[in-house]
Amino acid sequence: MCGRFTLQISPELLAEIFGLLEMPVFPARYNIAPTQQVAVIRSTADGRNRLDFLRWGLIPSWAKDPSIGSRMINARCETVHEKPAFRHAIKFRRCIVVASGFFEWLQEESRKVPLYVHLKDGSPMCFAGLWDHWKSSEGETIESCTILTTSSNKLIAPLHDRMPVILHREEHRLWLNREVTDPEKLKQLYQAYPADLMEIYPVSPLVNSPRNDLPELIKPIVP
């Protein structure tokens, strides 16, 4: 699964990758947790990409209250086309959740050791995501999102059987294309990212608390 991730990407790089007309402004984040705001790329009606900030944990438009979102931070790619919470969004409301890396935990005898996963070349991780729009009876509006997961590659498998669906740069256009509404055309994107392009190392247990959001959280430590 994906339950904690980071975002330290230069606005210039993000604008170049996604062809953004406006230079995004956002702080570096070192411990993004569910229900917090995350950076997402969505395609507009005129085919351009834009950066928005959505709540992490998808709240379906039909939900009675937003608390369901805390249980919807991930969506399994194998069933996303069938689940009531996601089957509309997978057709019409896809997005890319932008990250620099994510955390996993290794279970040892009496403790869990936090590990940081990122791409070896330092490029952004672009998670396949879905979003939805929820409105309360009082008029409160929340836009929220979820991250798709797939079976883990050999690097992540010893830690967890699921990992985020990480899109290659050449796959961004298809995922964000609003004219593609046939889920079958998207299944080719649900492959585990190649393990040899990723790197993992142990980090400080300070990451265990979402209250901590510091650069020190992604510094390697000696096991």
Side-chain angles (χ1 to χ4, degrees):
M1 61 178 295
C2 180
R4 221 65 85 68
F5 65 95
T6 70
L7 177 64
Q8 318 93 44
I9 301 172
S10 74
E12 294 80 7
L13 177 59
L14 200 60
E16 185 271 325
I17 291 174
F18 292 103
L20 304 177
L21 294 181
E22 297 182 8
M23 189 68 67
V25 178
F26 51 86
R29 295 293 313 280
Y30 300 93
N31 196 6
I32 300 172
T35 75
Q36 295 180 357
Q37 297 294 110
V38 299
V40 306
I41 301 293
R42 295 187 287 186
S43 179
T44 63
D46 61 3
R48 296 187 178 276
N49 294 331
R50 59 176 286 177
L51 175 74
D52 295 302
F53 286 86
L54 277 59
R55 174 171 164 168
W56 184 18
L58 188 140
I59 307 168
S61 58
W62 44 259
K64 293 182 179 179
D65 66 79
S67 63
I68 190 176
S70 62
R71 306 191 301 275
M72 299 283 187
I73 64 170
N74 294 150
R76 296 176 67 93
C77 66
E78 297 88 350
T79 58
V80 69
H81 310 280
E82 308 162 5
K83 296 289 186 180
F86 307 129
R87 62 191 180 196
H88 180 79
I90 191 64
K91 293 181 179 180
F92 305 108
R93 291 180 172 173
R94 297 187 299 275
C95 64
I96 289 176
V97 180
V98 186
S100 297
F102 64 93
F103 297 99
E104 276 297 347
W105 280 260
L106 173 64
Q107 181 67 59
E108 293 191 339
E109 290 183 1
S110 59
R111 63 177 184 144
K112 288 186 175 181
V113 178
L115 303 162
Y116 185 57
V117 185
H118 69 107
L119 301 185
K120 286 183 177 178
D121 64 2
S123 59
M125 281 187 173
C126 297
F127 301 150
L130 308 175
W131 68 276
D132 210 339
H133 177 100
W134 179 84
K135 189 173 183 178
S136 71
S137 56
E138 293 79 26
E140 177 191 14
T141 298
I142 299 177
E143 286 191 322
S144 58
C145 64
T146 189
I147 295 170
L148 267 69
T149 65
T150 187
S151 297
S152 292
N153 61 27
K154 63 182 180 181
L155 182 70
I156 308 300
L159 309 172
H160 202 286
D161 62 351
R162 308 294 297 178
M163 66 178 290
V165 173
I166 304 172
L167 300 172
H168 296 270
R169 189 164 180 172
E170 62 271 18
E171 297 171 336
H172 296 174
R173 184 183 298 274
L174 173 59
W175 184 253
L176 293 175
N177 190 337
R178 293 159 61 107
E179 296 182 359
V180 177
T181 58
D182 181 0
E184 291 298 322
K185 295 181 179 180
L186 303 172
K187 291 183 177 180
Q188 60 181 294
L189 306 180
Y190 300 157
Q191 306 300 314
Y193 205 82
D196 59 348
L197 300 180
M198 305 173 75
E199 183 178 53
I200 189 169
Y201 56 80
V203 293
S204 169
L206 288 173
V207 74
N208 293 339
S209 171
R211 292 190 298 270
N212 297 323
D213 192 358
L214 306 165
E216 287 76 14
L217 300 184
I218 62 171
K219 290 183 178 179
I221 64 170
V222 178

